[in-house]
């Protein structure tokens, strides 16, 4: 299957991936995260692990266990790390440590290379038996809430290296090697490959979306960091000037207990406007997401905090201009005025919704630029190569 990527990346790039993989074929590799479905980390691993296997690597993927109490704590950690404020006490830290010990009996820790994704399983390093451990951080830790960061830092300092998505997420108070590896999308996945217009139309009809009216879409969790209430406000401001529909699509995740609360607030803010479509779809609704992004006139990712935002690259790959929040990994993808527009407020988002709806030529130009930007920088083959190089480095196989 991996040969199918050649048409996007070229023969030389593909050869380099095989050559690096050859250097590390005898190593065992384990990825560990907190959910099998829902969110960008699980989505990448669902594609990355099979690709690694296809290269002949001995790789596995395990998901930690936790109850609602644990995931409430880790969600509080997540928010505190990204927002710089929090309400955390010693009991939270004890609950976190307790579940690291419980997972000790569930997760094999004797692989040559351990990829630990995000804060939820980071404390497993306490039980390291050997090998090289890499902490892969997918969130914004540039301005963390000190009590939570100091608690996690004592664990992260024990890793052999860490990976962040954006240069600004790097830490001066950690002495281990730090690598910058932006996330990626898979152009061959159901979510991102080209689908027939009849499929798009069928799915729009199924969900009651008017195919003849301009569609503004945001695909993301119902999470305060994604600013869903700001999206509703931007739509309502723009609606005074252009006749549009808004589609907000999210899905639940086992490690995100806050989603239902946020969803209920968004439903209330939407009111009885029949042109606002709020959907909570199950994980793996990839064909539906593909259809929605393909059908959209404009795509938004109006986050106020964002590790990367895979949905930005997904939409750009489908030649859609994206209006993105000026935060985290979004500016890596949205080059202001070239592949979309960066905004800092609902008013700014509303302005560019109106501008793009009224200017088809500019939409097409930005959309064309957007796809090429993703092809060059954010396809899964680039992230795969970066991971292989990191493994080669920490295992001293890079010579």
């Amino acid at each position: 299957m991996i040969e199918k990527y050649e048409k996007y990346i070229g023969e030389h790039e593909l050869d380099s991936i095989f050559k690096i993989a050859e250097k590390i074929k005898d190593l065992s590799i384990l990825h560990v995260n907190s959910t099998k479905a829902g969110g960008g980390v699980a989505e990448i691993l669902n594609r990355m692990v099979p690709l690694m296997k296809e290269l002949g690597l001995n790789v596995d993927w395990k998901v930690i266990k936790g109850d609602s109490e644990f995931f409430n704590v880790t969600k509080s950690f997540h928010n505190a790390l990204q927002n710089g404020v929090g309400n955390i006490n010693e009991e939270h830290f004890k609950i976190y440590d307790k579940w690291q010990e419980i997972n000790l009996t569930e997760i094999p820790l004797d692989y040559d290379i351990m990829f630990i994704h995000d804060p939820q399983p980071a404390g497993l390093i306490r039980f390291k038996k050997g090998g090289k451990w890499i902490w892969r951080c997918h969130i914004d830790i540039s301005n963390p809430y000190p009590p939570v960061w100091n608690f996690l830092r004592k664990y992260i300092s024990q890793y052999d290296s860490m990976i962040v998505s954006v240069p600004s997420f790097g830490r001066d108070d950690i002495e281990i090697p730090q690598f910058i590896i932006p996330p990626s999308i898979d152009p061959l996945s159901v979510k991102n490959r080209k689908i027939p217009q009849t499929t798009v139309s069928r799915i729009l009809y199924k969900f009651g979306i008017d195919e003849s009216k301009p569609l503004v879409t945001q695909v993301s969790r119902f999470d305060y960091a994604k600013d869903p209430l700001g999206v509703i406000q931007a739509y309502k401001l723009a609606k005074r000037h252009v006749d549009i529909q808004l589609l907000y699509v999210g899905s639940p995740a086992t490690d995100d207990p806050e989603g239902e609360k946020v969803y209920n607030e968004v439903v209330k803010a939407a009111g009885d406007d029949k042109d606002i479509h709020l959907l909570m779809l199950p994980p793996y609704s990839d064909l539906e997401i593909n259809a929605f992004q393909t059908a959209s006139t404009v795509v938004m990712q109006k986050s106020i905090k964002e590790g990367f935002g895979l949905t930005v690259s997904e939409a750009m790959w489908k030649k859609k201009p994206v209006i993105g929040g000026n935060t985290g990994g979004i500016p890596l993808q949205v080059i202001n005025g070239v592949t979309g527009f960066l905004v800092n407020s609902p008013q700014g988002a509303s302005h560019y919704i109106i501008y793009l709806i009224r200017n088809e030529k500019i939409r097409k130009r930005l959309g064309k630029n957007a796809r090429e930007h993703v092809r060059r920088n954010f396809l899964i083959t680039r992230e795969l190569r970066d991971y292989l190089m990191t493994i080669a480095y920490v295992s001293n196989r890079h010579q």
Side-chain angles (χ1 to χ4, degrees):
M1 186 181 80
I2 197 165
E3 285 79 7
K4 293 182 179 176
Y5 294 91
E6 184 179 337
K7 66 179 179 181
Y8 300 119
I9 64 174
E11 184 180 352
H12 178 74
E13 179 71 8
L14 199 58
D15 283 347
S16 72
I17 291 172
F18 279 107
K19 285 175 181 172
I20 302 168
E22 194 64 33
K23 290 176 177 285
I24 58 174
K25 261 187 175 172
D26 60 321
L27 299 176
S28 56
I29 304 163
L30 180 65
H31 289 275
V32 180
N33 79 318
S34 61
T35 181
K36 200 75 176 177
V41 180
E43 182 161 331
I44 291 171
L45 289 175
N46 270 305
R47 306 296 296 183
M48 180 70 72
V49 172
L51 281 178
M52 285 183 154
K53 286 181 183 291
E54 194 172 332
L55 289 169
L57 301 178
N58 176 16
V59 59
D60 291 313
W61 173 18
K62 301 289 183 184
V63 175
I64 61 168
K65 290 184 176 177
D67 61 5
S68 59
E69 186 180 52
F70 172 69
F71 285 123
N72 276 317
V73 166
T74 56
K75 182 66 179 181
S76 299
F77 281 16
H78 176 98
N79 291 339
L81 290 168
Q82 291 216 127
N83 299 328
V85 295
N87 183 20
I88 311 291
N89 57 45
E90 283 301 316
E91 187 61 26
H92 289 93
F93 297 138
K94 289 178 182 175
I95 292 167
Y96 180 88
D97 281 340
K98 180 185 78 175
W99 276 97
Q100 305 302 309
E101 292 184 26
I102 292 172
N103 277 291
L104 170 64
T105 62
E106 305 285 338
I107 306 291
L109 303 179
D110 54 353
Y111 283 68
D112 296 318
I113 303 293
M114 296 287 293
F115 266 99
I116 307 296
H117 294 263
D118 275 337
Q120 296 93 332
L124 287 173
I125 188 75
R126 289 167 55 199
F127 313 107
K128 179 179 178 180
K129 295 178 179 176
K132 300 294 184 181
W133 285 55
I134 302 165
W135 187 56
R136 202 317 178 201
C137 179
H138 294 269
I139 64 175
D140 182 349
I141 52 170
S142 58
N143 182 35
Y145 180 55
V148 173
W149 175 245
N150 290 336
F151 171 77
L152 290 173
R153 191 178 59 172
K154 69 184 180 187
Y155 295 138
I156 295 162
S157 298
Q158 298 174 47
Y159 281 75
D160 295 285
S161 66
M162 65 182 270
I163 298 171
V164 294
S165 299
V166 178
S168 62
F169 295 173
R171 299 292 310 179
D172 292 333
D173 54 358
I174 294 277
E175 294 185 355
I176 61 175
Q178 300 178 42
F179 302 99
I180 299 163
I181 301 180
S184 61
I185 64 165
D186 188 342
L188 302 182
S189 68
V190 172
K191 188 187 277 188
N192 293 311
R193 66 192 182 208
K194 190 172 178 58
I195 56 176
Q197 184 57 42
T198 52
T199 303
V200 174
S201 297
R202 175 177 59 78
I203 290 172
L204 292 182
Y205 178 78
K206 175 182 175 182
F207 288 96
I209 298 167
D210 183 352
E211 198 171 356
S212 66
K213 186 181 290 191
L215 181 63
V216 179
T217 299
Q218 176 155 316
V219 180
S220 60
R221 290 187 187 189
F222 287 89
D223 183 320
Y224 292 118
K226 315 296 184 185
D227 198 20
L229 297 176
V231 171
I232 299 284
Q233 186 182 352
Y235 156 81
K236 289 189 173 180
L237 290 170
K239 183 80 170 177
R240 297 174 186 172
H241 305 276
V242 286
D243 187 19
I244 54 176
Q245 304 171 95
L246 174 67
L247 171 62
Y248 194 112
V249 191
S251 64
T254 54
D255 64 345
D256 186 4
E258 205 172 54
E260 184 175 352
K261 176 175 180 286
V262 178
Y263 175 77
N264 290 332
E265 290 183 29
V266 176
V267 169
K268 187 176 179 182
D272 58 359
D273 188 331
K274 290 184 169 47
D275 280 331
I276 298 179
H277 307 275
L278 302 177
L279 302 180
M280 180 75 92
L281 297 185
Y284 304 115
S285 300
D286 291 354
L287 184 62
E288 287 80 3
I289 298 300
N290 188 337
F292 295 145
Q293 290 170 330
T294 300
S296 296
T297 316
V298 177
V299 171
M300 294 180 67
Q301 188 58 52
K302 217 205 83 49
S303 303
I304 51 179
K305 284 289 180 179
E306 186 64 72
F308 183 73
L310 284 180
T311 53
V312 174
S313 278
E314 290 167 4
M316 289 168 64
W317 184 243
K318 300 173 184 80
K319 297 185 178 179
K320 303 300 171 181
V322 174
I323 300 171
N326 189 11
T327 184
I330 293 177
L332 283 183
Q333 304 167 82
V334 176
I335 302 171
N336 201 40
V338 178
T339 66
F341 294 103
L342 294 170
V343 297
N344 295 295
S345 68
Q347 290 76 14
S350 169
H351 168 78
Y352 284 118
I353 290 172
I354 297 166
Y355 179 72
L356 287 170
I357 292 292
R358 288 177 172 170
N359 291 280
E360 183 180 4
K361 284 186 178 177
I362 291 173
R363 285 204 312 271
K364 288 185 175 178
R365 175 167 57 80
L366 267 55
K368 184 179 177 184
N369 294 343
R371 181 176 170 99
E372 179 60 12
H373 187 50
V374 171
R375 188 191 71 78
R376 288 177 179 272
N377 299 288
F378 304 119
L379 296 186
I380 195 166
T381 40
R382 191 271 309 147
E383 189 174 13
L384 171 64
R385 185 195 61 198
D386 289 351
Y387 275 14
L388 299 182
M389 291 176 69
T390 304
I391 295 170
Y393 177 82
V394 299
S395 59
N396 202 28
R397 306 285 181 87
H398 58 297
Q399 298 298 331

